[in-house]
Amino acid sequence: MSAALVILGVGSPFGDDRAGWSAAALLAASPLVANSAGQIEVRTLDRPGTLLLAEFGKSNGVMLIDAMRSGALPGTILRLEAEGVCAARSLLSSHGLGVAQSLGLARQLGGLPAQFVFFGLEVGHDYSGMNLSPAVSAALPQLVTQVIRQAMAWGFARADAAGCAAS
Amino acid sequence: MTEEREIRIEVPVMARVEGEASLSIRTHAGRIEALKLRIFEPPRLFEKFLEGRDWFEVPDMVARICGICPVAYQMSAVQALEALFDVDPGPWVRAQRRALYCGEWLQSHSLHIHLLAAPDFLGFANVVETAQQHPEVVRRGLALQALGNDLIRLYGGRSVHPVGVRVGGFHRAPAMAEVSALRTRLDAALPDVEALVAWTAALPLPQDEQDFTSVALRHPTDYPLNEGRLVSDRGLDIACADFEQHFFERQVQGSTALYCYLDGQPYLAGPLARLNLNLDRLPPAVRSVLERTGIRFPSRNMFHSIVARAVEMLLALHEAIRLLADYQMPTKPYVDVAPRAGVAFGCSEAPRGLLWHRYEFNAAGGVQRARIVPPTSQNQARIEQDLHQSLSAYGLAHSDTELKLRAETVIRNYDPCISCATHFLDLRRE
């Protein structure tokens, strides 16, 4: 059965678009998940589109991590609640249409999870490497820490879980 | 009064999905002087990727060409390879492949009807606005899309780029309990899809009769998905292997996509063409629901495509229920295959139209050459022809905003592979 908190990393295998997957991999290997007794699940998705709606219905809390392009400095982390994602029309993650519209649709249909937060990680501008750019790679530990703190704030993790972010 | 203006409509596409398209229209003295639809799909490197690969790698590789219709690519490919290798996978495999394909039609058609096409006819900017006014319709559409995905997952392990298909059959046969559970859900969905057919027929669709050639597969007894001859309503009736004698792809200046023509003329592939040519292949239960709509088919109104899609969802649902009702566990879900040298042809009906494959193999079963003609390439010239006729019939005196919306509606009506981004259409007038 589904966990109470689901952390979704959205992305693809290439370049900075991996950001969501890389963050998910770090989180999956962290004590946050290991010590959660199955309460926290980390998953990766590849351009889910409307399939994202099905993910929302399975748990009370959802955190979604995706690469984004908002014009901020590469490596910038943006935290938005559901209202913010729906309102930020000009904010395009690399899967922007899917995430923003799916959230809007879920909200319209009453299918938003009780707790929802979006973490966007700004990709390198004009970066076209196969792996993560240095700026995005350097920002990952901080992103992981923020996700863990959010899980703690929602009551899903013990205080000592935050220390795992850098490991 | 002389009116001269240029309208440019850009259709950028979601990153990494299909590519992009733009539409240029130039009018003079109230007439369309030039109209060009350009589809900038990424180069179809898949055909080159396939060269040198082994025959058994083909189904999983071609599935990656499209995230919405991967099953279609797998079906055209295995059909081609099995024909060349002289393999008959038998009735169990044929039935399950048809059921799998029904899953793809269900999910793809539901996605298109609810998320892409319906907002145009209801005057909404997108599906979120549709959901505001018609939450029960959108909820029903998403549930039907999910049902189609689950049918794909039953055979393919996952709904996007499924991995269950192999040359000769399937890697794994679904368990009886899985099939039975899904059948219950398919049964329960019948009233929903019947209601959907009526709902699409009641939409305020524009009346725009046009002259076009419908092309689709035709099977001796069944509504076409996986098998049949290539036919048109202008007398074409050929085997898939003879495709190249009548259909020619042309490079058009300014576009990276190929245009495919039938004997030099544009033609229509897809749900409306299939329904126009295969009305008598609909099961009676589907036919009666269609007749109750009051819309007469064959239809020359391109905007009846959305009704044809809903009817095909009902057909797919009925077929899946029938095929799963007869389901039995096979001794082995595939037959053994030995490759041989030669040329292989395969053709099936992807949700948005004909999908034709041709492969050349060496004696060891290595791909020497591959050629894939997708539906969007086949419909591209017809879309241009339609835009020309539709916009003229609509009236060029309309505002840029109105013309842009009508042009978008016409393009989206074909469910082109670029359709996922057409909400971003951006009009610039110079």
Side-chain angles (χ1 to χ4, degrees):
Chain A
M1 298 308 288
S2 287
L5 170 63
V6 175
I7 301 169
L8 301 170
V10 178
S12 74
F14 308 110
D16 277 351
D17 202 30
R18 284 196 69 86
W21 288 9
S22 299
L26 288 172
L27 286 159
S30 73
L32 172 77
V33 176
N35 298 336
S36 75
Q39 286 294 292
I40 302 176
E41 185 187 352
V42 179
R43 301 186 50 209
T44 53
L45 298 173
D46 173 4
R47 286 156 285 175
T50 56
L51 297 179
L52 204 52
L53 266 73
E55 302 293 334
F56 293 157
K58 294 176 182 170
S59 51
N60 287 328
V62 170
M63 279 192 251
L64 201 149
I65 308 167
D66 196 0
M68 67 169 186
R69 204 186 286 271
S70 70
L73 283 174
T76 301
I77 298 167
L78 184 66
R79 179 190 175 284
L80 289 175
E81 304 202 355
E83 292 297 319
V85 179
C86 294
R89 297 260 167 184
S90 60
L91 174 75
L92 274 182
S93 85
S94 56
H95 315 87
L97 185 67
V99 171
Q101 277 217 323
S102 295
L103 272 178
L105 195 50
R107 186 177 59 168
Q108 206 60 253
L109 298 175
L112 269 185
Q115 294 165 310
F116 177 88
V117 161
F118 168 86
F119 286 103
L121 185 50
E122 186 77 8
V123 298
H125 304 154
D126 302 321
Y127 173 72
S128 58
M130 286 296 285
N131 299 311
L132 291 176
S133 66
V136 168
S137 196
L140 275 179
Q142 194 196 342
L143 174 62
V144 168
T145 300
Q146 286 198 29
V147 170
I148 291 170
R149 286 194 179 133
Q150 184 66 61
M152 287 165 53
W154 282 348
F156 287 109
R158 298 196 312 268
D160 60 354
C164 70
S167 61
Chain B
M1 189 182 88
T2 299
E3 184 185 14
E4 187 166 3
R5 60 178 181 169
E6 186 170 319
I7 301 164
R8 186 177 298 277
I9 299 176
E10 303 289 346
V11 193
V13 181
M14 278 178 77
R16 294 160 286 100
V17 182
E18 310 291 350
E20 64 179 35
S22 68
L23 175 68
S24 310
I25 304 169
R26 192 173 67 245
T27 63
H28 179 67
R31 289 180 56 235
I32 294 175
E33 208 171 57
L35 185 153
K36 195 75 198 159
L37 175 69
R38 295 185 176 88
I39 294 181
F40 302 103
E41 292 184 9
R44 300 208 69 82
L45 296 173
F46 269 96
E47 290 161 332
K48 281 291 176 192
F49 294 160
L50 285 160
E51 289 181 10
R53 310 303 298 217
D54 285 313
W55 58 275
F56 52 82
E57 296 179 286
V58 173
D60 287 329
M61 289 189 70
V62 296
R64 290 283 172 165
I65 293 174
C66 181
I68 304 293
C69 53
V71 173
Y73 282 89
Q74 292 184 317
M75 293 297 105
S76 289
V78 293
Q79 186 193 115
L81 273 58
E82 287 163 6
L84 172 65
F85 300 159
D86 199 19
V87 170
D88 179 3
W92 186 88
V93 168
R94 292 202 2 250
Q96 309 320 314
R97 282 182 180 166
R98 188 169 170 86
L100 166 63
Y101 220 145
C102 286
E104 182 159 284
W105 275 25
L106 269 177
Q107 68 86 8
S108 176
H109 281 353
S110 194
L111 169 74
H112 186 261
I113 289 172
H114 296 93
L115 273 72
L116 304 174
D120 284 337
F121 302 122
L122 293 167
F124 299 127
N126 54 45
V127 67
V128 182
E129 288 186 11
T130 310
Q132 206 167 357
Q133 296 295 318
H134 305 279
E136 71 296 337
V137 170
V138 174
R139 208 173 274 125
R140 179 180 69 196
L142 291 171
L144 292 171
Q145 187 193 353
L147 183 62
N149 279 328
D150 288 344
L151 185 51
I152 298 173
R153 198 174 286 120
L154 176 73
Y155 294 99
R158 59 190 187 195
S159 61
V160 181
H161 307 315
V163 290
V165 173
R166 60 185 284 168
V167 184
F170 288 88
H171 288 287
R172 168 189 175 273
M176 287 300 287
E178 295 174 284
V179 172
S180 167
L182 194 55
R183 233 199 89 197
T184 306
R185 292 176 55 205
L186 293 168
D187 279 332
L190 271 174
D192 284 344
V193 184
E194 288 179 8
L196 175 62
V197 173
W199 184 79
T200 58
L203 286 169
L205 303 174
Q207 287 299 321
D208 186 13
E209 302 274 320
Q210 296 190 9
D211 190 26
F212 55 84
T213 303
S214 294
V215 177
L217 288 182
R218 185 160 168 84
H219 182 270
T221 55
D222 300 332
Y223 197 85
L225 277 110
N226 250 332
E227 299 167 13
R229 288 172 66 79
L230 271 167
V231 305
S232 81
D233 50 9
R234 307 276 164 97
L236 180 81
D237 185 357
I238 59 169
C240 288
D242 297 329
F243 179 90
E244 289 169 302
Q245 293 171 25
H246 295 269
F247 295 83
F248 298 97
E249 281 186 304
R250 270 214 298 268
Q251 188 82 49
V252 175
Q253 194 175 13
S255 179
T256 57
L258 297 170
Y259 283 57
C260 192
Y261 294 90
L262 165 60
D263 296 326
Q265 296 299 314
Y267 62 97
L268 174 71
L272 184 61
R274 282 194 293 258
L275 192 60
N276 279 347
L277 289 163
N278 290 284
L279 274 176
D280 56 346
R281 298 294 188 260
L282 289 175
V286 179
R287 188 91 188 249
S288 66
V289 171
L290 174 59
E291 281 166 2
R292 282 205 295 276
T293 65
I295 297 176
R296 298 178 69 87
F297 288 89
S299 169
R300 314 306 301 175
N301 183 359
M302 273 306 306
F303 291 113
H304 284 154
S305 294
I306 192 169
V307 183
R309 264 186 199 96
V311 169
E312 288 196 336
M313 284 177 66
L314 187 59
L315 174 278
L317 194 58
H318 272 280
E319 283 294 272
I321 289 169
R322 177 179 69 80
L323 295 161
L324 265 54
D326 296 335
Y327 186 82
Q328 291 185 329
M329 286 298 285
T331 327
K332 198 168 85 168
Y334 60 90
V335 295
D336 293 317
V337 176
R340 62 170 66 164
V343 182
F345 303 97
C347 190
S348 73
E349 285 284 2
R352 47 195 59 67
L354 288 168
L355 175 59
W356 185 83
H357 289 203
R358 177 189 187 277
Y359 301 92
E360 289 176 28
F361 284 94
N362 62 23
V367 179
Q368 303 296 288
R369 297 187 71 162
R371 186 174 165 220
I372 293 170
V373 183
T376 300
S377 157
Q378 299 182 64
N379 274 334
Q380 195 167 335
R382 168 89 267 271
I383 296 174
E384 272 188 8
Q385 188 184 50
D386 187 343
L387 281 165
H388 215 285
Q389 295 174 3
S390 303
L391 295 179
S392 297
Y394 181 57
L396 298 174
H398 284 87
S399 70
D400 279 7
T401 306
E402 290 166 326
L403 281 172
K404 172 194 154 204
L405 178 61
R406 178 53 67 98
E408 287 177 350
T409 304
V410 167
I411 295 168
R412 278 195 280 267
N413 188 43
Y414 288 78
D415 192 12
C417 283
I418 54 165
S419 57
C420 52
T422 48
H423 288 291
F424 280 150
L425 273 168
D426 178 32
L427 177 122
R428 272 182 284 148
R429 178 176 167 170
E430 296 169 3

